[in-house]
Amino acid sequence: MTTQTQQLREEAYLSLDADEPERALELGKKLLELKQVRVFEVVALALDQQGKADEAIAALKTGVDKAPNAFALWQLLGNILSTSKKYQEAKDAFQRALSCPGADSDGINYDLAVSLRSAGQTLEAMQVCDSVSSAEWGIKVRTLRASLLNNAGRNEEAAQVANGNIAELLSQTDVSDDEMQDLAQNYSELARAHWLGRRDGNAAFENACRALEWDRADGSALWLVRELMAMKTPSSHWFRLEVSGQWHFPLEPGQAPPPFAASFDVVADTVDDALRYAQNIEPPEIRESMLVTAVEDKGPYPDHLQGLYWRSPYAFFTDD
């Protein structure tokens, strides 16, 4: 690989990490001119970030036609097909990836197990999950196993696995961003185990909130909070709230606590109710400071449970 090609690839992946798919596509076109097969991965990821899953799938199918032994392209194709709920096609793509020379079998089998879980094929997902043997995948495999145990109704076992994972992660001196998501998922599975197995709403809510401390947008935790509230009315609307507030401690030594902004997608009867739902799972110290600065009413949503469906990261503002 030439220095130019390597630089273009690195810039393209940095653009994807920075959520700049348009820039990644520009760089992808340059890589295509240099006849780089991995360009199809860059293009597909960029298109998927733009919400163009069908175009991403088409790009990857072109890629695997040109490079049928490129396991990374087959694996990515399986992942995007799975998120598009095309589970049988996804399974076929993962199996093709596994048959490629030099395939990363543990990584592919992990992704296959996640896809099988999404397809509701819990027992097969467990079997595939158990085939992942590398220590590198240890915590992720055990986290997935906790989820599968909950799905299988083996909630006490799920709680035991999740508690072990949490203890291991919290024993570390530093927790990476990726491990923060692992913590969130394990707290979510622990919450699910308390709710599905024991109908212990208090313990379920407590652990769901802990999950959301580690990952503000953890879907399973947000689902459980809505499930516990169990509120549905014919007058419900979907609101996108833009909210400002005051943080409760300095982010830098010698500086005052900064103001912040965040966005929330909420189903509620009124804007005031929507703000209250958003406040309920934020740190108690900032709740009273939270004010709605803008609202988008996306229309009636009577068939969905009320509560929070998504929230953005905080945007902090400093004097710099």
Side-chain angles (χ1 to χ4, degrees):
M1 185 186 300
T2 66
T3 302
Q4 180 190 10
T5 300
Q6 185 174 358
Q7 183 177 354
L8 286 171
R9 280 188 58 188
E10 288 175 356
E11 289 182 20
Y13 285 110
L14 286 172
S15 297
L16 290 168
D17 289 342
D19 198 19
E20 297 174 352
E22 294 83 3
R23 173 63 176 159
L25 282 172
E26 289 178 12
L27 295 165
K29 290 176 183 177
K30 293 180 181 179
L31 284 166
L32 189 59
E33 293 170 3
L34 297 171
K35 303 185 185 304
Q36 289 293 308
V37 171
R38 293 293 292 273
V39 67
F40 294 103
E41 183 178 353
V42 172
V43 168
L45 287 168
L47 289 168
D48 195 45
Q49 276 191 5
Q50 293 177 320
K52 301 175 181 177
D54 288 343
E55 292 181 42
I57 290 167
L60 286 167
K61 286 182 176 179
T62 300
V64 295
D65 282 343
K66 293 181 179 296
N69 287 327
F71 75 84
L73 297 184
W74 284 111
Q75 183 176 4
L76 180 57
L77 177 58
N79 282 326
I80 296 179
L81 284 166
S82 182
T83 56
S84 299
K85 299 185 179 181
K86 299 176 180 179
Y87 297 119
Q88 185 56 53
E89 289 183 67
K91 185 177 182 180
D92 293 342
F94 287 128
Q95 290 173 337
R96 284 295 302 270
L98 287 167
S99 71
C100 293
D104 173 15
S105 58
D106 281 336
I108 295 165
N109 276 321
Y110 174 82
D111 287 349
L112 172 57
V114 171
S115 179
L116 290 167
R117 176 186 62 178
S118 299
Q121 298 175 27
T122 301
L123 294 180
E124 186 176 359
M126 281 186 176
Q127 293 171 351
V128 175
C129 185
D130 288 343
S131 73
V132 181
S133 58
S134 170
E136 175 187 354
W137 288 93
I139 194 69
K140 289 198 172 298
V141 167
R142 293 194 297 275
T143 301
L144 177 58
R145 186 163 184 79
S147 174
L148 292 168
L149 287 167
N150 267 328
N151 290 354
R154 295 160 60 182
N155 308 112
E156 292 300 323
E157 293 175 69
Q160 184 176 3
V161 172
N163 271 319
N165 292 339
I166 291 166
E168 178 181 334
L169 287 162
L170 291 179
S171 70
Q172 299 175 178
T173 304
D174 295 312
V175 179
S176 68
D177 289 347
D178 199 38
E179 289 166 337
M180 288 182 185
Q181 289 194 329
D182 292 333
L183 268 168
Q185 289 170 26
N186 278 286
Y187 274 120
S188 287
E189 294 306 331
L190 185 56
R192 281 215 302 152
H194 281 297
W195 179 238
L196 297 174
R198 303 177 185 176
R199 284 305 193 213
D200 186 341
N202 290 332
F205 182 77
E206 178 182 347
N207 282 288
C209 289
R210 286 178 180 169
L212 293 165
E213 290 174 4
W214 291 101
D215 180 357
R216 285 177 55 75
D218 184 89
S220 181
L222 290 174
W223 164 82
L224 186 52
V225 171
R226 296 192 301 271
E227 186 77 9
L228 291 168
M229 192 167 60
M231 176 74 72
K232 186 186 292 187
T233 72
S235 56
S236 292
H237 277 233
W238 185 290
F239 297 104
R240 165 65 62 87
L241 304 183
E242 303 296 335
V243 173
S244 66
Q246 185 68 40
W247 198 240
H248 55 110
F249 60 82
L251 300 183
E252 297 290 341
Q255 293 187 356
F260 69 88
S263 302
F264 300 83
D265 281 350
V266 193
V267 172
D269 288 330
T270 67
V271 173
D272 286 343
D273 287 341
L275 177 61
R276 178 167 51 82
Y277 291 153
Q279 289 170 319
N280 283 347
I281 53 175
E282 291 292 330
E285 299 89 347
I286 70 170
R287 291 175 188 172
E288 290 187 6
S289 75
M290 293 172 63
L291 299 173
V292 176
T293 58
V295 180
E296 180 185 356
D297 185 341
K298 297 190 175 184
Y301 231 69
D303 298 327
H304 288 69
L305 287 173
Q306 290 194 354
L308 190 61
Y309 280 76
W310 172 82
R311 56 182 185 169
S312 72
Y314 299 114
F316 292 104
F317 302 100
T318 66
D319 296 332
D320 297 339

